[in-house]
Amino acid sequence: MLVLSAIKRVPEEIKEHFKKTFSQVEFLFCHGIEEAEAHLPKADVFVTYGEDLNSERIEAAKNLKWIMVLSAGMDRMPFNAIHERNILVTNVRGIHAKPMAEYALSMVLQVARNAKVLTERERAHKWDRRVPMTEINNSTMVLLGTGAIAQETARLAKAFQMKTIGISRSGKEKEFFDETYKVEEMDTVLPSADYLIAVLPSTPETSYLLKREHFAKLPSHSVFLNMGRGDLVSTEDILAAIRSGDLAHAVLDVFEEEPLPENHEFWEEENVTVTPHLSGISRHYVPRGFELFERNLKSYLKREEMENFIDPKRGY
């Protein structure tokens, strides 16, 4: 069995660990899809970030039985071709939880403590003790999504005595949430949101789920943070909410178009914070991803149930 990896810069200790642990398996670690593509026809298992796959490469991978995606977002994958071939797909859903939760809390604190203004004052050598400061203690955080990332964000929020409310398709109770609701009940929750945090993947159900009227239901001092996917809400609706005063601030790590164009209006908007899709970045990311892959590979070889199975028909 050949396991082919197109993940760049895999540490040598990880490569050696897999070769020693799975002596019955052949491993080929390539530096990107350009190097890996020639070996796709022989691969039984392909380890990838997902964005390098297309229908032609799936067709070329004649022996492929399992795709291990070292990413949680898979909206660019050719799921129709994968479904036709009945190829198993798993991902690393959950390993982003720690860095993304830390990102969310850091951004919430930066907005509350007016970090952008303080930085401007510092650069201008201006001593200004009138810069407004607020606390996040005892405020309410509403999270769109109740998965691993949202749960870890809610857990950290509890250190600030924040009330945490989760919104999901099922509305099921989850750890670290004081309350949970279904998506169709969202309108009843939004008026209580001091912070609205979006952690949703890109699916047909979530595409442009948030609209202008949702922001109008928020308190005028509320902050919106999106670290899920850029197609959750349109640029126009965010700008309209900011400029009308329905939103006090928006922190955006994901966008409809990436990279965000240099002339985009978000860059110049005082009450918008732009970060370049890096909320999940961590030096621990690749090791954590391969730890999950190792658990799944053991299960695969034993024909046992695997973690993070993805339904190609639904895309998640």
Side-chain angles (χ1 to χ4, degrees):
M1 185 176 81
L2 173 62
V3 173
L4 175 66
S5 169
I7 305 300
K8 296 180 179 180
R9 292 177 290 276
V10 178
E12 288 300 322
E13 58 267 28
I14 290 178
K15 297 178 183 179
E16 291 305 312
H17 171 77
F18 272 87
K19 291 174 182 178
K20 290 179 181 178
T21 304
F22 300 93
S23 57
Q24 74 276 39
V25 177
E26 180 185 358
F27 292 93
L28 184 57
F29 293 93
C30 296
H31 189 71
I33 188 63
E34 294 78 11
E35 185 179 317
E37 189 160 20
H39 305 284
L40 272 174
K42 297 180 180 179
D44 298 280
V45 181
F46 185 46
V47 186
T48 170
Y49 284 124
E51 296 179 353
D52 52 13
L53 279 175
N54 54 35
S55 298
E56 291 73 23
R57 284 170 177 154
I58 293 296
E59 177 63 27
K62 301 295 185 183
N63 291 332
L64 194 59
K65 302 172 184 67
W66 170 27
I67 302 170
M68 177 68 199
V69 186
L70 253 65
S71 173
M74 299 174 294
D75 38 298
R76 300 184 187 178
M77 287 183 62
F79 278 116
N80 287 336
I82 291 169
H83 175 61
E84 288 175 6
R85 289 275 308 280
N86 199 29
I87 297 170
L88 174 69
V89 181
T90 59
N91 75 350
V92 291
R93 183 177 61 248
I95 72 165
H96 300 81
K98 291 185 184 299
M100 290 184 71
E102 289 184 10
Y103 167 89
L105 266 295
S106 73
M107 290 296 152
V108 164
L109 285 166
Q110 285 187 58
V111 174
R113 306 306 290 181
N114 233 330
K116 288 180 79 171
V117 175
L118 291 176
T119 301
E120 291 170 2
R121 298 292 189 273
E122 182 186 21
R123 287 175 178 166
H125 299 188
K126 185 175 182 180
W127 183 274
D128 183 4
R129 300 190 71 234
R130 295 171 298 174
V131 176
M133 296 279 136
T134 58
E135 296 182 6
I136 67 173
N137 269 278
N138 297 311
S139 57
T140 297
M141 177 183 285
V142 174
L143 294 110
L144 300 180
T146 59
I149 298 167
Q151 287 181 59
E152 179 65 8
T153 304
R155 186 186 73 83
L156 295 185
K158 284 300 175 185
F160 297 91
Q161 291 81 49
M162 299 180 82
K163 181 178 181 179
T164 55
I165 299 175
I167 306 291
S168 67
R169 188 162 53 90
S170 68
K172 290 182 180 178
E173 292 184 8
K174 292 288 185 73
E175 191 176 11
F176 307 120
F177 290 101
D178 296 304
E179 302 170 9
T180 51
Y181 296 88
K182 293 181 179 180
V183 170
E184 52 263 34
E185 300 172 308
M186 179 168 57
D187 286 3
T188 64
V189 176
L190 292 178
S192 64
D194 298 301
Y195 298 93
L196 178 62
I197 313 295
V199 203
L200 292 171
S202 179
T203 69
E205 292 88 354
T206 63
S207 181
Y208 298 100
L209 174 68
L210 272 188
K211 303 187 183 301
R212 178 73 181 84
E213 55 264 30
H214 293 118
F215 291 127
K217 295 180 185 297
L218 294 167
S220 59
H221 64 265
S222 62
V223 175
F224 171 61
L225 186 154
N226 188 8
M227 57 180 183
R229 281 295 179 264
D231 64 356
L232 175 71
V233 56
S234 73
T235 294
E236 290 75 19
D237 284 349
I238 296 173
L239 285 171
I242 287 288
R243 290 169 179 172
S244 68
D246 286 338
L247 269 179
H249 202 99
V251 178
L252 307 172
D253 189 51
V254 290
F255 305 88
E256 292 177 287
E257 180 183 359
E258 295 185 10
L260 192 67
E262 291 183 15
N263 61 348
H264 199 282
E265 293 174 284
F266 280 151
W267 293 112
E268 300 299 326
E269 198 67 38
E270 182 180 358
N271 292 322
V272 173
T273 297
V274 171
T275 61
H277 203 149
L278 47 60
S279 60
I281 290 179
S282 166
R283 63 186 176 89
H284 303 295
Y285 184 91
V286 169
R288 283 176 181 151
F290 274 96
E291 284 174 9
L292 201 159
F293 173 56
E294 180 177 355
R295 295 197 300 271
N296 266 346
L297 183 55
K298 288 177 179 177
S299 298
Y300 181 80
L301 293 171
K302 295 178 182 178
R303 300 183 182 276
E304 296 176 349
E305 186 175 351
M306 298 162 69
E307 298 178 48
N308 292 359
F309 170 76
I310 302 301
D311 183 351
K313 290 183 287 186
R314 299 172 70 178
Y316 62 92

